Amino acid sequence: LRVPLSWLHEYLDFDLSADELVDLFSLRSQEIDGVYRLGVSEGEVVVGEVVEFGPHPNADRLFVAKVDLGGREVQIVAGAPNPRPGDRVPVVLPGSVMADGTKLREARLRGLASYGMMMSERELGISANHGGIVLLDDSYDVGRPVADYFPVGETVLDIDVTPNRPDLWGMIGVARELAAILETGYRTPEPTYVAEGRPTHDFGLRVEAEDLCPRYDLRRVSDLEPGQEAPLIVRRRIYAAGMRPINAVVDATNYVMLETGQPIHAFDAARVREGIVVRRGREKEKITLLDGSTRVLDEEMLVIADEERGLVIAGVMGAEDAEVGDETTDALIEVANFEGRNILQTSQKLGLRTDASGRFERGLDPNMVDYAMERVCALLTQDPGGIPADDTLSHYPHPVEPWRVPLRLVRAELLLGMPVKMEEASERLEALGCEVEREDGRLLATVPTFRRDLRREADLVEEVGRLIGLDKVPETLPAVPQAGRLTESQQQARSLRRLLADLGLAEAITYPFGPERWTADLSMEGEAVGLENPLSVEDGYLRTSILPGLLDATARNKAFGARGGALFELGNVFLADIPHDDLREAALRFRMTGELGAQEAGRLMGVREASKIGVVLAGTVRPAGWNVPEFEAGFFEAKGLVERLVPGGRFVPATRPHLHPGRSAAVLVGDDEAGWVGELHPEVAGRFGLEGWPVAALELEAAVCRPDPEPRFVPFVNVPAVARDLAVLVEERIPVGDMLRSVLDLHRSLLAEARVFDVYAGSPVPQGQKSVAFGFTFQGEKTLTDEEVDAEVGRILRRLEDEFGVLLRS
Amino acid sequence: MSVSERIERLKSEALSAVASGTSTADLEDVRVRFLGRSAELTEIKKSIGALSPEERKEVGRSSNRASREIEAALGSRTEEVAARELEERLQAEAVDVTLPGVPFQRGHLHPSQMVIDDVVDFFVGLGYRVAEGPEVETDYYNFTALGIPPGHPARTMQDTFFVDEGLVLRTQTSPMQIRTMLSQGPPVYVVCPGRTYRRDSDPTHTPMFHQVEGLAVDRGLTLGHLKGTLAAMARHVFGGGVEIRLRPSYFQFTEPSVEMDVSCFVCGGTDPDCKVCKGAGWLEMLGAGMVDPGVLEEVGYDPEEYTGYAFGMGPDRMAMVKYGVPDLRLFFEGDLRFLRQF
């Protein structure tokens, strides 16, 4: 809500700068989104009378005037052609500062001296109109400050009203709130007028949809002067509050809405056939609104109609048909209360949110209708000169009465953590409009109906607490009666992330949704879960793998000139797990009410989540240095990470459609498949925009990664170990890993360590064979003799000969 | 030539050879030549038995003295030469120390995760446990159990991603609080970090973001406990000097509800042109409040016996403020130019 401070001053007196007001309101009530200024922020605007007006001799689009400022005549250059000699105009004097910060100086414009400026409505902050200079009527005395008549500058606070406080959607509500904060009083205007207009009961009123319309009041205001503009003070307030002045009747309704928070609608009585009907929309009923759009209604939408056609989508927007216009002389004024949730739904369905619907959707106080009706009738007697009828047609079958809420002081002190005195609590609640009865240790508040949010003790505690001031609440710490800890899986996730970062990878967090092709491009198994309302079709499906997000990021890095990179992400993947048809109803009940029945929650969720760790190594992960070779992405680089993450994991050649068929493996932990590692299939790399780059990736169930198992001490003897190498020739197809495992499995071996330090194929190794060189370390209970070591190497060689047909390489 | 004369000659030859030796290898040759097994002096010592007793005594003494003198000369000369040789070798081995070393690449943790870990560690230190929950959540846990039944206006404030009938991507981490309370009785002290989702995309909103929420339910918990806890956390994350303030606010599942501002940890409110707080002196940090009695009832806790507080913060936004990142979208693009800065 935009609150012009000069308007607020009508209801209460306060002497605070805008900054002080912002601080105070923020700390005691609502957040202030911004402070705006309009018109002239410093300096003086006086009433001048145009003496001469004519074209500027040196410029086509400029004019020059002689203006009497009350005893002295000045020359002013103008950009607008409208003033005539004898017109009274506002003149801002040199030295003044405009709202946008520009400072006015005595100037020469195209060779002519110009003293100050004659002002448009926009420059004065009256409206957006910049088409001409404001012409003041004869009631403005020449030479007097314009500020004697209306403010020439305005400060506007933009209050971010929370949804529980519809009472703050009007100036009076804000004034009441500020008065409560400042512990002072406020006043509301007393509407007075003579009610002898033509009777409202010439028209009928029928409320058919009572459930959607708790209250509907209708009153006629006749004898309006057509084509009137609202008084300047009304227009400038409406404009400062962020709306557009339209005509005297509409402006009166908007003014009262801004003042009270109650939306009001005015019909041209001449165009209403017989009477007003409040009913649900009819199927496929169409209505053409004021904004020119034609909307199709449904039976859940509330319509204000006459006996023949729909006139307004209730609480949202009116149709062109019966709107008041420049020719209106006789109006029907609607002040009503609609069911908030229904207005919200209608506004959402139509994609149409208006000042009125935004207020109704929060749920307004039906008792606000009376004052708003009185107030708008009083305003309509002014410039449009209307005469209200002395009868009001009212439908209000179930009047809302104030309710009573008790507040125990001990409870207030417990929740707030500070002392609360009976007197203080009572006064604070009274300032908000409650009637308070004091009892022993508690008070009983009768809550005004405009505070629908105050229903329970805790609600009153909040009001008392914030008005006393949350700064008075002391800072203390509770004595927590338990030891804090991370769960095992949380600890594990954290150690995995830190490990990969320590190994030089960068942690990414990517969106878990993407296009359907994500799954297809990767030829992943498992059914992806779709979103019903994605941001775009490119974000329509939840990921079944961490990989695609990392690949997209990698492609992006490539596009921005990276030579490669190593990214990892730890996060959830989502797999469809649709409950059987016979569980569908149980699933829906569980999802909506939390009721489980006999089922396990997991079977009713419909989606299975699994925590995965994904890594993408791409391109040149680290370029060559002067002393180190470059580190390129490849199968063994990725495999090395898996070996670090899952010590003891096994690798079996097993390919997946998205991986290079000859350079990929399944990772087994025990007998369970825990994930995969491999180079990306070049076609898949191409689809992700990574052609030309080597890309290796891995994905593992986070739960199986145990990079640092709990240590267990193994005793050792203080006897030197002996190292030996062995090079053999073997058929190229034989997996070296199998050879290595076979060697390590030798029974009662003295072998302490075995590694592969060279694998070579090509000349001089015979075609179809490869040379494999092993390095062994032997360790005995006592120092090993050469003969003993020879015997061990011999056993190893024989095993390799028997199992793999190797030849000792000489 | 007498034996003694031979000894004298050998000695002087040896000493001059030692003196002219310029490398440890030369000197080793000298040692072998004059003191080795087949050296002349050694031969003289071996043949000593054939001499007369007087000669034996004389030759023995002089040959031993000659040996000792040669040894001593060799020793000191070798030491000298070795020292010079070492010096020369070290000089020859000198490298350009300004060349880069062998790289041990530094990795990077995600800035949001760093803040989450930091906040979680703080609360674990106070005795809180850490909850977990699914990202695809039911309508009940995400909304209804938190006092936001179907049709409630607050639902429209959170642009929800719908997955299936009654299933959403969680819009907040609060459902974890409900799950925690349903699975145990009071006292509860728990923090719930996680990814959350809303249908929104601009420089300050991304469709995925993180939250860390906390919940404490026990006998006698007050707004003062909440305030003290949040103040201590703010000092843990942003430095010991920061102050906090509470402002009234509105959340569906707390009453009273507050928002917490942290005093600007860069300028402390003294710099009107401060880039971090934009001159306001305060940074909006999180929402919190006393747990609504309706929420306690929903999970079967007696609101007369137990009170509690809850708070929720955005670690992404905290990271933006802490590290000076202007655009939230950078957090989720996997851009190495961004990630490498953390």
Side-chain angles (χ1 to χ4, degrees), chain A residues 23 25-31 162-164 341 344-345 348 361-362 408 411 413-417 456-459 461-462 466 470-487 489-490 494 497-498 500-513 529-535 542-543 553-554 556-557 560 562 564-572 574 584 588 590-594 605-607 609 621-622 626-628, chain B residues 99-103 105-110 112-114 116-117 120-121 124 126-141 144 150-153 156-157 160-167 169 179 187 189 195 197 199-201 206-208 210 218 220-229 231-232 235 243-250 255-259 284 290 292-294 303-304 306-307 309 329 331-337 339-340:
Chain A
D23 264 359
F25 215 77
S26 303
L27 289 173
R28 297 283 187 272
S29 180
Q30 303 276 314
E31 200 169 331
T162 52
N164 59 328
R341 204 167 287 186
L344 173 64
Q345 281 161 3
Q348 280 175 345
E361 69 186 30
R362 306 291 183 205
R408 293 163 293 173
R411 191 72 186 169
E413 293 188 332
L414 169 61
L415 283 174
L416 296 172
R456 304 162 310 164
E457 190 175 47
D459 302 328
V461 171
E462 175 170 75
R466 71 181 174 87
L470 298 174
D471 51 319
K472 310 277 195 318
V473 175
E475 292 179 11
T476 51
L477 283 175
V480 181
Q482 66 182 23
R485 59 153 194 260
L486 295 173
T487 64
S489 67
Q490 288 159 352
R494 195 181 276 198
R497 289 177 30 245
R498 299 227 163 127
L500 287 169
D502 286 346
L503 291 172
L505 284 78
E507 180 180 24
I509 295 177
T510 63
Y511 297 122
F513 26 68
V529 177
L531 293 177
E532 286 183 356
N533 58 338
L535 273 175
L542 294 178
R543 65 184 176 193
T554 302
R556 201 185 138 77
N557 285 321
F560 281 106
L567 293 177
F568 78 90
E569 178 169 1
L570 178 61
N572 285 1
F574 306 84
R584 185 77 199 162
L588 205 55
F590 166 66
R591 294 171 187 176
M592 299 306 293
T593 66
M605 283 299 285
V607 176
E609 292 181 32
V621 176
R622 191 190 59 218
W626 68 279
N627 53 353
V628 283
Chain B
L99 275 170
V102 173
Q105 195 144 327
R106 177 180 183 273
H108 310 276
L109 288 171
H110 193 279
S112 299
Q113 275 296 345
M114 292 199 289
I116 291 171
D117 288 353
V120 165
D121 286 346
V124 166
L126 284 187
Y128 287 59
R129 306 248 162 97
V130 188
E132 285 159 349
E135 291 173 38
V136 173
E137 188 52 279
T138 67
D139 185 282
Y140 173 75
Y141 286 122
T144 304
H152 193 283
T156 61
M157 290 166 69
T160 309
F161 281 114
F162 296 98
V163 174
D164 188 13
E165 212 174 345
L167 279 188
L169 284 177
R179 286 172 175 271
Y189 291 87
R195 298 187 189 201
Y197 301 89
R199 248 182 126 261
D200 218 346
S201 190
T206 48
M208 176 191 74
H210 292 90
D218 205 343
L221 289 184
T222 74
L223 190 62
H225 290 128
L226 172 64
K227 193 175 178 184
T229 301
R235 285 169 198 138
E243 292 297 321
I244 66 155
R245 68 175 189 186
L246 301 183
R247 287 180 290 107
S249 189
Y250 168 72
E255 189 78 36
S257 300
V258 298
E259 271 178 67
E284 286 183 35
M290 300 304 290
D292 192 284
E304 280 296 303
Y306 293 99
T307 54
Y309 54 78
R329 291 173 297 196
F331 282 66
F332 307 119
E333 288 170 345
D335 192 323
L336 284 165
R337 295 169 299 177
L339 298 176
R340 282 185 177 141

